[in-house]
Amino acid sequence: MLLTIVPAAGSGNLALYDKILYPFMWVIGWIMRGIHELLALAGVSSGAGVGWVLSIVGLTVFVRLLLVPLFVKQIKATRAMSLAQPEMSAIQKKYKGKRDQQSMIRMQEETRAVQRKYGASMSASCLPILFQMPVFFALYRLLYNMKPIADGVLPGHDSIGGMGQVQAQDLWHSTFFGQSLGLTMFGPGSIMSTKIVVGLMVAYLVLSMLFQTAFLTMKNMSQEQLNSDNPMVKSTKSMMYLMPLMYLFTGPVVQVGLLVYWVTSNTWMILQQFFIMRAFPTRGSAAAKWREAAHEKKFEAFREKEEAKLAAELERIELNEEGLNHKGVQVAIRQARLNHIHLLEKHRMELGLPEINLGTVDAVGNTAGQRMQPGQKGWEQYKAQFEADMAEERAETEAAREDVVGKDGLTAAQRAQKQAERRAAERQAKKKKQKQKNNKRNTSH
C-alpha cells in the first residue's frame, strides 16, 4: 500500500507540505469515505448533505478511540507523578538556590531516578496531542484541496485517497448550519452568516477548553500537585491560557469542516475527563472528596471479596501440600498477606481514597507473632529479613533434594534439618529470655 501512496505523493505539482502530509491525507480520505458509505447504508443521504458532516464527526470518534491507550498511559503517568511528588519536592527543596553546573546535574539525575522508581513520565501527557497534530494538518490540507479536486484542476491528481471528484463535489456542497464545510471566516465565498457560525464555533472551543481545564483537570489534581512549584501544574496552567488563544487565532482561518472536528473532539474530551474524574479521581483532589462516600462502598465490597480469596489462600498454604518446612510456611503466609495489602493499596489509589491501615503481615499467621505493616518504622529492615528468609528457604529446599553424604557424615537434608533445629532452639531461647525480662519488669512494678 505504501508503495502506491508514496509515488502518488511525489507526482504532480503538490506543495512540499502536501507531499509530506499526503500519506495522512490519503488515509483520512478513505476513512471519511468509508464512514460516509456506512451512513448511506443506514439511510443517510448519499450525496451532499449531513452525511459528510457526520463523516467528519465519525473521523473524530475514530481518532479518539485510537487515542484511548495513550490516554490510559497518560493517566498512569499522572498517578505515578502524584506518588513521586513528595520526593520530587524534596529534591527541589534540597537544591533550591543552587545554580552551579554540578548541582544542576545532580538534581536532574536524582529527579530522573525518582521518575524511574515510580514509572512517572512528563512526556506521556504530550503523546495524545502529538498524535493528533498530523491528523489536524492533514484534514486541513485535505479540505483545502477539495475545491481543486471538485473542479478537476488539482495538478497531477484526480483524487486523494477515497475522495474523488464526485465525493469532493458532494463534500464541498455539504453545509453545517448553512455554511459549506470548505469555507473559512474571511476566505472566498464567506458572508456574514459564515462569520457568525464560525464565531460561535470558536467561542464554544474557547469556553469548552477553559471549562475542561479549570473545572475538570484542576479539580482532579491533589493539593501537592496544585503546588506552584510543580512543573506539571505550570504546564497545565500554561495550556489553560495557550489553547484558547490558539483557537482565537487559528479558528477564523481554518475551514468549517475542521472546526466541526475540533468541536467534536473537545466535546469528547469533556465527557472523557468527567468520566475519569468521577470513576478514578486523584487522591487528595476535590473530585476525590466529592466521590469519597460512594468509592468507600465500592472499596469495602472489593475488600470483602479479596479477603475471602486471602482466607482460601492461607488455608491452602497451611495444608502444606507442597511439603514446606516451618519457615517455608511462614514465608508463604507473609507473602500472601503482603500481596493482599499491596492489592488493596493499589485499589484505594485508583479510587482516589486516602491511605488507611489495611492490616498486617503476620510472621506466623495469627495474632501472637511479630506484626509489621508497610509504612511502619523498621518496615524496610523487616522486608529485607523477609526476603532473606525466602532466599534461604529456596536454598534449603534445593539442598534437600540432594542425598549426598558430606565430610561431616550428614546428607544435605540432614544438615538442613539440624540447622533448622538449631535456629528453632535459638528462637525459643530468645523468646524465653524476653519472657523472663518482661516478668522481671512486671514484678518490679
Side-chain angles (χ1 to χ4, degrees):
M1 184 180 292
L2 288 175
L3 293 177
T4 60
I5 297 174
V6 173
S11 64
N13 297 316
L14 291 177
L16 177 61
Y17 37 82
D18 279 341
K19 291 180 180 179
I20 294 172
L21 291 171
Y22 189 87
F24 297 100
M25 292 160 51
W26 189 91
V27 172
I28 289 173
W30 275 113
I31 292 173
M32 288 179 59
R33 180 171 175 178
I35 294 172
H36 187 267
E37 291 184 357
L38 288 175
L39 291 170
L41 291 175
V44 179
S45 173
S46 60
V50 70
W52 285 107
V53 177
L54 294 178
S55 296
I56 296 176
V57 173
L59 170 68
T60 313
V61 173
F62 179 79
V63 171
R64 279 292 168 185
L65 288 174
L66 291 180
L67 286 174
V68 168
L70 294 180
F71 187 72
V72 171
K73 187 175 181 179
Q74 179 185 18
I75 293 173
K76 290 181 178 179
T78 303
R79 295 294 166 86
M81 188 63 72
S82 178
L83 289 173
Q85 190 54 42
E87 294 184 36
M88 300 276 282
S89 298
I91 293 172
Q92 292 173 359
K93 186 176 180 181
K94 177 181 176 181
Y95 290 98
K96 188 175 182 180
K98 298 179 181 180
R99 292 290 179 263
D100 58 283
Q101 185 176 1
Q102 189 174 7
S103 296
M104 295 297 290
I105 292 174
R106 287 180 179 175
M107 180 179 174
Q108 291 174 0
E109 290 175 349
E110 292 180 22
T111 300
R112 283 194 293 266
V114 172
Q115 290 177 344
R116 286 194 298 269
K117 176 182 175 181
Y118 290 96
S121 173
M122 293 293 291
S123 60
S125 60
C126 302
L127 291 176
I129 297 176
L130 292 176
F131 182 87
Q132 288 185 87
M133 292 305 290
V135 177
F136 163 74
F137 286 116
L139 180 58
Y140 171 75
R141 292 305 301 174
L142 179 66
L143 293 172
Y144 180 86
N145 286 311
M146 284 299 95
K147 182 61 174 173
I149 290 177
D151 295 339
V153 295
L154 184 66
H157 293 271
D158 57 3
S159 67
I160 298 179
M163 303 301 291
Q165 187 173 16
V166 174
Q167 291 77 27
Q169 290 173 350
D170 289 342
L171 186 144
W172 188 260
H173 292 104
S174 298
T175 61
F176 181 75
F177 286 97
Q179 308 307 312
S180 170
L181 296 178
L183 291 179
T184 62
M185 179 179 276
F186 302 110
S190 173
I191 57 178
M192 182 55 66
S193 59
T194 307
K195 294 175 175 57
I196 293 173
V197 170
V198 171
L200 290 174
M201 295 177 78
V202 171
Y204 173 82
L205 291 172
V206 172
L207 293 175
S208 62
M209 178 55 65
L210 288 172
F211 175 78
Q212 179 184 329
T213 308
F215 294 97
L216 295 180
T217 304
M218 301 296 284
K219 292 292 183 183
N220 201 25
M221 298 179 75
S222 66
Q223 291 301 316
E224 289 179 346
Q225 290 176 314
L226 290 173
N227 187 309
S228 59
D229 293 332
N230 187 346
M232 185 171 63
V233 176
K234 291 180 179 179
S235 174
T236 302
K237 288 181 178 179
S238 299
M239 191 70 70
M240 181 172 65
Y241 298 110
L242 289 177
M243 287 301 290
L245 285 176
M246 185 191 78
Y247 288 137
L248 284 174
F249 283 105
T250 60
V253 298
V254 301
Q255 305 94 337
V256 170
L258 189 54
L259 290 175
V260 171
Y261 175 89
W262 266 348
V263 166
T264 308
S265 182
N266 276 24
T267 305
W268 175 289
M269 280 302 298
I270 288 174
L271 296 175
Q272 182 174 261
Q273 286 284 78
F274 181 77
F275 170 77
I276 293 299
M277 184 179 74
R278 190 176 187 278
F280 305 104
T282 302
R283 176 180 287 173
S285 66
K289 293 179 181 178
W290 168 51
R291 296 290 296 164
E292 186 171 356
H295 282 184
E296 284 289 1
K297 292 180 181 179
K298 283 186 179 181
F299 175 76
E300 287 304 321
F302 177 82
R303 183 175 187 171
E304 183 178 348
K305 183 176 67 174
E306 292 302 320
E307 285 183 347
K309 292 181 182 178
L310 175 64
E313 177 69 9
L314 293 178
E315 184 178 352
R316 184 192 65 79
I317 294 171
E318 289 173 353
L319 289 174
N320 198 15
E321 295 177 352
E322 292 85 358
L324 301 173
N325 59 23
H326 180 66
K327 178 176 286 188
V329 173
Q330 289 182 359
V331 167
I333 288 174
R334 284 189 289 178
Q335 182 67 69
R337 289 184 179 277
L338 185 62
N339 291 342
H340 176 69
I341 289 172
H342 286 168
L343 181 64
L344 295 183
E345 284 179 336
K346 180 182 178 182
H347 196 60
R348 284 192 72 84
M349 169 63 77
E350 289 173 348
L351 293 175
L353 296 171
E355 294 181 277
I356 62 171
N357 185 345
L358 291 170
T360 62
V361 177
D362 192 330
V364 296
N366 57 45
T367 58
Q370 180 184 8
R371 299 173 70 82
M372 183 66 67
Q373 63 190 39
Q376 270 190 335
K377 185 178 180 181
W379 166 254
E380 292 299 329
Q381 293 84 348
Y382 181 77
K383 184 181 177 184
Q385 182 61 48
F386 169 57
E387 292 173 347
D389 286 348
M390 291 183 67
E392 187 175 345
E393 165 61 19
R394 286 193 295 269
E396 289 179 0
T397 302
E398 186 66 28
R401 295 175 182 170
E402 300 180 7
D403 194 23
V404 180
V405 177
K407 293 181 180 180
D408 55 1
L410 301 173
T411 64
Q414 293 170 337
R415 195 177 301 111
Q417 181 64 30
K418 281 189 173 294
Q419 289 176 352
E421 292 172 356
R422 175 175 54 79
R423 286 195 294 270
E426 289 175 353
R427 285 194 295 269
Q428 287 292 334
K430 187 176 180 180
K431 187 176 180 180
K432 184 177 180 181
K433 185 177 179 181
Q434 182 65 36
K435 186 175 181 181
Q436 290 173 349
K437 186 176 179 181
N438 291 339
N439 290 337
K440 186 177 180 181
R441 186 183 298 112
N442 292 334
T443 303
S444 63
H445 286 297

